[in-house]
């Protein structure tokens, strides 16, 4: 099968919460001249509720179903010739079907971050899966998800110590 470029497929960013997917994704989209889509924002807009409210009302399973449907809609747009830079939620990789979509329909970039650095960035963020000891929670998420991030990523970029603009530039370079 012919390898397709990010200009055809778009780019999906995966990684832990607070790894820089959204902040660098907005800048990367500008650098690449592509639209930016934040999957969490898309889910919230379509549901008419915040992610914490969705977790409270529907649980993680309900949220993941909504996330899966939103990912499929974005991927359908990409397949129709509308590539985007997509910032996924940190847990999008939880479902095997999502990992398959990320592998097949995007050039997926794993933004690697040390859980301690991500914890420092996410203090006070109100993320549903990060209550209590945020760093310990991120370490647990990393241990559970790292093989999944690796499974669907064509490229990995270490973000520790990088500002969003530097990270966006590093991702653009890695895509070349």
């Amino acid at each position: 099968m012919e390898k397709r470029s990010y200009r055809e497929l778009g780019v999906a960013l995966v990684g832990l919460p607070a790894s820089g997917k959204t902040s660098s994704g907005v800048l990367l989209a500008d650098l690449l001249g592509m639209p930016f889509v934040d999957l969490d924002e898309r889910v919230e807009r379509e549901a008419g509720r915040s992610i914490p409210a969705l977790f409270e009302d529907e649980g993680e399973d309900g949220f993941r179903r909504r996330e899966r449907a939103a990912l499929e809609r974005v991927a359908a747009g990409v397949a129709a010739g509308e590539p985007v830079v997509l910032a996924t939620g940190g847990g999008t990789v939880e479902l095997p079907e999502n990992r398959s979509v990320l592998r097949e329909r995007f050039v997926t970039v794993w933004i690697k971050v040390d859980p301690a650095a991500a914890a420092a960035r996410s203090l006070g963020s109100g993320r549903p899966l990060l209550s209590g000891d945020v760093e310990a929670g991120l370490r647990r998420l990393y241990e559970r998800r790292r093989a999944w991030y690796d499974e669907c990523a064509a490229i990995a970029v270490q973000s520790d110590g990088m500002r969003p603009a530097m990270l966006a530039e590093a991702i653009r370079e890695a895509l070349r």
Side-chain angles (χ1 to χ4, degrees):
M1 183 169 101
E2 179 184 328
K3 184 176 179 184
R4 295 167 45 201
S5 78
Y6 71 87
R7 294 224 176 264
E8 297 171 278
L9 296 173
V11 178
L13 305 175
V14 300
L16 281 177
S19 61
K21 298 179 299 290
T22 298
S23 57
S24 65
V26 168
L27 299 169
L28 178 64
D30 188 52
L31 288 172
L32 300 178
M34 301 168 98
F36 174 76
V37 175
D38 182 289
L39 194 59
D40 283 345
E41 287 178 6
R42 173 80 50 104
V43 170
E44 287 181 329
R45 188 174 63 246
E46 291 174 357
R49 289 178 283 167
S50 69
I51 290 173
L54 287 170
F55 266 75
E56 186 175 316
D57 297 344
E58 301 177 16
E60 185 173 359
D61 289 344
F63 170 75
R64 296 286 173 219
R65 280 192 297 278
R66 288 179 179 275
E67 180 182 57
R68 168 105 178 102
L71 177 61
E72 279 294 340
R73 285 189 286 281
V74 173
V78 169
E82 302 168 10
V84 300
V85 172
L86 173 68
T88 65
T92 302
V93 297
E94 294 271 342
L95 297 179
E97 304 88 4
N98 289 351
R99 294 193 302 273
S100 179
V101 168
L102 291 167
R103 268 193 321 274
E104 295 167 11
R105 300 193 196 164
F106 296 90
V107 175
T108 300
V109 178
W110 176 12
I111 300 177
K112 292 183 167 186
V113 64
D114 179 71
R121 292 180 195 167
S122 67
L123 290 176
S125 69
R127 297 170 196 255
L129 296 179
L130 295 180
S131 58
D133 185 339
V134 174
E135 184 177 340
L138 284 166
R139 288 193 187 287
R140 282 190 301 276
L141 288 176
Y142 178 77
E143 289 305 317
R144 186 169 85 216
R145 296 175 179 167
R146 82 173 151 191
W148 295 331
Y149 292 137
D150 189 50
E151 175 187 328
C152 59
I155 297 168
V157 176
Q158 185 69 41
S159 70
D160 293 342
M162 285 193 189
R163 295 197 170 277
M166 292 170 56
L167 180 56
E169 186 58 43
I171 294 168
R172 181 172 73 163
E173 289 302 312
L175 289 167
R176 291 186 175 169

